[in-house]
Amino acid sequence: MRPSIGPRLAIAAALGVCCLAPPTSAAGPAADPAPAAAPTDLASQIDLLLQAKFLARARVGLLVVDMATGARLYEKNPDLGLNPASNIKLVTTAAALSLLGPEHRYVTRVYAKKGALKGHTVDGDLYLKGGGDPSLVTADLYQLASDLRALGITKVTGGLVLDSTAYDRDELPPLFDQKDELASFRAPGGATAVNFGTYVVLARPGPGEGDPAIVAIDPPVPSLKLKANTATTASGARNQLKLAIGTTPEGVVEIAVDGTIGKDAAPAEYRYPVAKPAEYAGEVFRLVLKQRGVSLGRSAVKFEAVPEDSERLALVRSEPLSVLVRSVNKLSNNYVAEHILKSLDDHAPATFAGGLARVRIWLEGLGVGVDGFVYKNGSGLYDANRISAAQLVQLLIAVHRDFRFGADFLASLPIAGVDGTLRSRMQEGRAARFVRAKTGSLDGVSTLSGYAGAVGRPPLAFAILFNDLDVFAAPQARDLQNQIAELLAGTVAARP
């Protein structure tokens, strides 16, 4: 079977490239046929690119709008609702910046009942109250424990109590159950969750060939157990480790490591989701308190609300939302996106349904049409959402024009050829540093939406949505999107 003609070959064909000799006659060589003129206008150039064979059975939605004039420079099925994959994160982050403000921070607090602190001792329980911080990590818990130690606290006669009442429950985000994958990007979350709902298995080679590999679990909490390590050190630098993950009836995760790792191999890191975020956070905080010299009188972690007659002992704040959304858009972090979405519910306890409804109302208020808009989770994972190229471009234009948070939104997008999910795309040419756009990828789906600009000129806003791609067409789709983005950057740069 002949390979598909790629976009660049399609352009070459339009230019009349041919390897056959021209016909001759008795009167002498015939004149060469005039080559087909290469299209010079933007619309014709994009039309030509979209003739690529890999798109023959795909559904395409595409819109380019000049933000200087509002003119549509190119459109193809702009109102067709398609699965945007991670491009839906543009909706989630824009809504969050608008509704919460770029300065918003999530706060995690430690409490004790009023009057319980007596000298170096907390007489009673210690309460950890989660605020839904999607970026809370072990280092933040160390900070809380260090602050307690700085207050002179060395003993808690009771135990640790977690308050996760800010959210309705710990859970997977909506429609994440479409696939049963043990993947770090598919971790459940909650109001009191830590380390992005994941733990890490670390491995490195032993001192010499034949020696056992060195394996550890971080953090080393009771619910995570290294059941077996039969991995050994081999020659070279290849990593051929194999991990098996199982769970006991009591809920203990057991990890078995086998295979080999080369003595010259770099340390390896494997990240997996936890099943119970709050319980895991409690275990990690207990471990940290012990390491910081704060003893607990009860080992079991309890779950209940902080009593009203309590006083705050310590707190830790997240980075501002303007920084957190960068991990969502630049790195396409599903976990952070879903936590932010849930926190948008302005009722207590917060629910995903409440967050989704509030975003939809906000989008309508922004002037973005919502006919055919389907919004069921905030990250775009699996088959959850539908949005058109026109709706995405309307969003991009409206957000860019809002001085209150537009700059923070723009700063959250990957920069072509520089960082995030675009760091290895469009590294040279006109698009490098002049295109900021969100990528999206699922099986059969490839998307790219954002802005193409130039120095001293208003940008173009664009959305490129491909659905129903063949399974091996993702690289071709990305390459074609890159070429369109190059054309858009060139169009802006060529303005007088």
Side-chain angles (χ1 to χ4, degrees):
M1 183 174 69
R2 293 180 62 190
S4 299
I5 298 177
R8 290 196 176 93
L9 292 179
I11 293 175
L15 292 172
V17 176
C18 186
C19 59
L20 299 177
T24 59
S25 68
D32 287 343
T40 56
D41 64 291
L42 178 66
S44 297
Q45 290 175 304
I46 296 177
D47 277 337
L48 187 60
L49 290 172
L50 295 181
Q51 291 175 16
K53 286 188 176 180
F54 78 88
L55 289 176
R57 292 185 295 274
R59 289 185 295 155
V60 176
L62 205 159
L63 180 62
V64 180
V65 171
D66 186 345
M67 289 183 58
T69 65
R72 292 190 173 195
L73 303 186
Y74 186 85
E75 58 183 293
K76 184 179 181 65
N77 304 321
D79 299 315
L80 179 62
L82 296 170
N83 187 338
S86 283
N87 274 200
I88 205 66
K89 292 182 173 79
L90 296 172
V91 177
T92 305
T93 53
L97 288 168
S98 176
L99 294 170
L100 300 178
E103 74 284 356
H104 177 78
R105 294 174 186 259
Y106 297 90
V107 185
T108 305
R109 299 174 174 89
V110 176
Y111 292 89
K113 285 186 177 181
K114 189 168 291 186
L117 180 55
K118 300 172 181 177
H120 299 289
T121 300
V122 172
D123 187 12
D125 290 327
L126 193 68
Y127 294 84
L128 178 68
K129 182 176 177 61
D133 182 358
S135 62
L136 190 72
V137 293
T138 302
D140 296 313
L141 299 183
Y142 274 113
Q143 182 63 59
L144 290 172
S146 294
D147 289 347
L148 294 176
R149 197 67 176 80
L151 291 174
I153 299 171
T154 58
K155 182 179 180 181
V156 177
T157 63
L160 179 61
V161 180
L162 262 65
D163 181 346
S164 296
T165 56
Y167 289 175
D168 62 333
R169 58 182 173 175
D170 291 359
E171 61 181 331
L172 281 173
L175 300 187
F176 271 42
D177 57 356
Q178 290 183 37
K179 287 188 178 181
D180 186 12
E181 299 178 279
L182 189 67
S184 60
F185 60 78
R186 190 181 166 273
T192 312
V194 67
N195 297 330
F196 306 97
T198 62
Y199 65 94
V200 173
V201 179
L202 300 166
R204 65 181 178 88
E209 291 182 31
D211 290 332
I214 298 170
V215 179
I217 299 171
D218 184 34
V221 295
S223 65
L224 304 172
K225 178 183 178 183
L226 183 61
K227 181 181 179 181
N229 173 24
T230 56
T232 57
T233 305
S235 60
R238 294 185 65 186
N239 179 347
Q240 294 182 299
L241 296 175
K242 301 175 183 177
L243 278 72
I245 313 294
T247 305
T248 69
E250 295 75 29
V252 176
V253 175
E254 296 183 327
I255 300 107
V257 184
D258 193 14
T260 61
I261 183 170
K263 62 182 180 64
D264 299 320
E269 178 180 302
Y270 305 90
R271 187 174 293 273
Y272 296 101
V274 299
K276 297 179 179 180
E279 285 86 341
Y280 172 60
E283 285 188 303
V284 177
F285 195 39
R286 277 183 55 215
L287 172 68
V288 166
L289 288 169
K290 180 179 180 181
Q291 292 178 342
R292 282 290 184 263
V294 180
S295 65
L296 294 170
R298 185 182 66 244
S299 60
V301 177
K302 296 168 60 177
F303 301 90
E304 59 187 52
V306 174
E308 291 186 6
D309 59 334
S310 296
E311 58 182 344
R312 177 177 56 80
L313 301 178
L315 65 79
V316 63
R317 295 183 176 91
S318 73
E319 293 284 356
L321 184 62
S322 58
V323 174
L324 296 182
V325 295
R326 296 184 185 186
S327 71
V328 178
N329 288 334
K330 286 185 181 291
L331 305 178
S332 213
N333 190 307
N334 295 325
Y335 180 88
V336 177
E338 299 295 355
H339 264 68
I340 289 174
L341 169 63
K342 198 168 191 178
S343 74
L344 296 182
D345 187 1
D346 52 0
H347 298 86
T351 66
F352 275 117
L356 290 164
R358 194 176 182 205
V359 172
R360 189 180 185 90
I361 292 170
W362 170 82
L363 202 61
E364 289 184 276
L366 198 66
V368 177
V370 293
D371 288 346
F373 175 63
V374 178
Y375 186 56
K376 294 185 177 179
N377 69 34
S379 64
L381 195 61
Y382 305 130
D383 188 14
N385 305 297
R386 294 292 184 273
I387 194 169
S388 69
Q391 289 165 331
L392 274 172
V393 169
Q394 284 179 320
L395 170 77
L396 291 168
I397 293 172
V399 171
H400 192 274
R401 290 174 175 168
D402 195 320
F403 185 81
R404 294 169 296 177
F405 66 95
D408 299 292
F409 178 77
L410 184 64
S412 75
L413 299 179
I415 304 171
V418 175
D419 69 1
T421 54
L422 286 183
R423 65 186 177 277
S424 60
R425 294 173 60 174
M426 298 174 277
Q427 293 177 317
E428 298 178 359
R430 289 174 174 171
R433 292 186 179 273
F434 283 106
V435 168
R436 292 189 178 225
K438 180 74 192 78
T439 59
S441 298
L442 290 170
D443 291 342
V445 177
S446 183
T447 59
L448 184 72
S449 301
Y451 308 95
V455 175
R457 296 170 176 86
L460 306 180
F462 68 90
I464 308 169
L465 310 178
F466 297 153
N467 278 198
D468 300 333
L469 294 168
D470 289 338
V471 65
F472 298 114
Q476 293 168 288
R478 289 191 291 268
D479 184 61
L480 194 149
Q481 291 161 359
N482 293 350
Q483 292 181 66
I484 293 174
E486 292 281 356
L487 290 173
L488 301 185
T491 297
V492 183
R495 287 174 176 166

